[in-house]
Amino acid sequence: MRISELSHASGIPVASIKFYIREGMLPRGASTSATSADYGDEHLARLRLIQALSEVRALPLARVKEILDLVDHPADTAYATLGRAVNALPPYVEPTDAEHARDTIDALGLTWDPGFGAVAQLGAAIRAVQGAGLRWDAELAALYLEPIRTLAAGEIAPLADMAPADAVAHAVLGTAVYEPVILALRRLAHQQLLAERTSQPPA
Amino acid sequence: MRISELSHASGIPVASIKFYIREGMLPRGASTSATSADYGDEHLARLRLIQALSEVRALPLARVKEILDLVDHPADTAYATLGRAVNALPPYVEPTDAEHARDTIDALGLTWDPGFGAVAQLGAAIRAVQGAGLRWDAELAALYLEPIRTLAAGEIAPLADMAPADAVAHAVLGTAVYEPVILALRRLAHQQLLAERTSQPPA
């Protein structure tokens, strides 16, 4: 298809498509003449991915590029690639926040690896909970971890049946795009539980 | 304590403290003379809350004010207050995105209430998942909802033993500040599960 058709199919303006090509985020189409090129479904899929990360997920352009680069050129292992993907995703915190997570990581039996971005992200999150005057201790941490581990295990399971490159792309994108799903479902579950509670007669 | 001591104790510059007072986010201290006032622990707690929401949670100032206003002047019910809190929290999406969540909400047996912000938030999240070319269907939605409902039920449980005003404040703040904890723990769980998988001999 021509660039105008690609724009129509994706809902993304031609100027933005040309920008993504210049930035190396979208491959050039196959040249059909000096001034036009042919684009395929792979270009459409790539544009939808860029849109999912930049618009729906609201990531800054530099971070979208990092994620795309990880999908195109994964690190040697899914573990290393996931580590880099996590560092490209918000919240963007100070590495020194890792120390705030140390007691929790130890209590939960998780791996203390302050080079993995999620450790400092957890530390900053704990600092916010405590700053808001809310509870955080080993017992509560375990109450959180148990269902989250169930959820994470369900997410990781399909990777075993994928080709390594697909598994890495899935892990990177899945980390980014299922997060808002999880938060929205939690809010909906709270709403439903509160509605059920208030409609019950007092005990 | 004096404003300089409040600044020292909170780590927040005096100019910022004065700004929060002018914006009505922090109550004035009790006047001790024409130019000085006395601040207490309640001022320190309030500053820590503002910091947790604006710095650690990275909410824009207008949204921090909305959350503080909900804590100070909750709606009639925890349900209504939670609804307003959810609307004050990211992701900030288009109300029309609610339609993208309709099939999922129906399949999960959740309440279809497009006025509740989390419905459109879920819709936008589903759009991002599909845009990234990843799976979303009723079976996967149920796989997500089950552990999330367990988690949400654990979070709601303590509200029953709280005074109504405390329960509302807790629900509003808890929605905001435990989200980054959940996302960080999920990333850590992924890391651990991947590490366990790769250290196992191939089946």
Side-chain angles (χ1 to χ4, degrees), chain B residues 26-179:
Chain B
L26 182 73
R28 294 182 184 281
S31 292
T32 52
S33 80
T35 56
S36 66
D38 189 47
Y39 297 87
D41 286 343
E42 71 281 14
H43 292 91
L44 189 55
R46 183 73 166 204
L47 278 178
R48 292 212 166 110
L49 172 56
I50 293 172
Q51 199 173 31
L53 295 172
S54 63
E55 284 183 36
V56 191
R57 191 60 227 260
L59 294 186
L61 193 72
R63 305 302 188 160
V64 174
K65 280 177 154 178
E66 277 184 70
I67 301 275
L68 293 176
D69 189 54
L70 280 172
V71 170
D72 294 339
H73 310 285
D76 283 346
T77 64
Y79 182 92
T81 308
L82 185 71
R84 286 173 53 195
V86 162
N87 286 325
L89 290 172
Y92 307 119
V93 302
E94 298 296 325
T96 50
D97 271 322
E99 276 304 322
H100 289 280
R102 186 148 206 160
D103 290 349
T104 299
I105 299 250
D106 286 348
L108 294 177
L110 292 168
T111 310
W112 172 254
D113 171 7
F116 183 58
V119 173
Q121 289 163 357
L122 178 62
I126 291 171
R127 197 155 61 79
V129 168
Q130 292 172 335
L134 297 187
R135 178 182 162 206
W136 189 255
D137 54 42
E139 189 196 350
L140 187 61
L143 270 177
Y144 270 96
L145 184 62
E146 199 176 334
I148 292 168
R149 209 194 307 250
T150 302
L151 187 152
E155 291 180 301
I156 290 279
L159 299 188
D161 300 325
M162 292 182 191
D166 289 346
V168 166
H170 191 96
V172 168
L173 296 181
T175 298
V177 302
Y178 289 109
E179 287 184 352

Side-chain angles (χ1 to χ4, degrees), chain A residues 48 52 56 79 90 109 116 121 124 128 131 135 144 147 149 155 160 174-175 178-179 182 186-187 190-192 197, chain B residues 48 52 56 79 90 109 116 121 124 131 135 144 147 149 155 160 174-175 178-179 182 186-187 190-192 197:
Chain A
R48 292 212 167 111
V56 192
Y79 182 92
F116 183 59
Q121 289 163 356
R135 178 183 163 206
Y144 271 96
R149 209 193 310 249
E155 291 180 302
T175 299
Y178 288 109
E179 286 185 351
I182 291 167
R186 169 176 174 257
R187 293 172 182 184
H190 282 158
Q191 179 207 35
Q192 198 186 39
R197 232 179 52 138
Chain B
R48 292 212 166 110
V56 191
Y79 182 92
F116 183 58
Q121 289 163 357
R135 178 182 162 206
Y144 270 96
R149 209 194 307 250
E155 291 180 301
T175 298
Y178 289 109
E179 287 184 352
I182 291 166
R186 169 175 174 258
R187 293 172 182 186
H190 282 158
Q191 179 207 34
Q192 199 185 39
R197 234 179 49 138

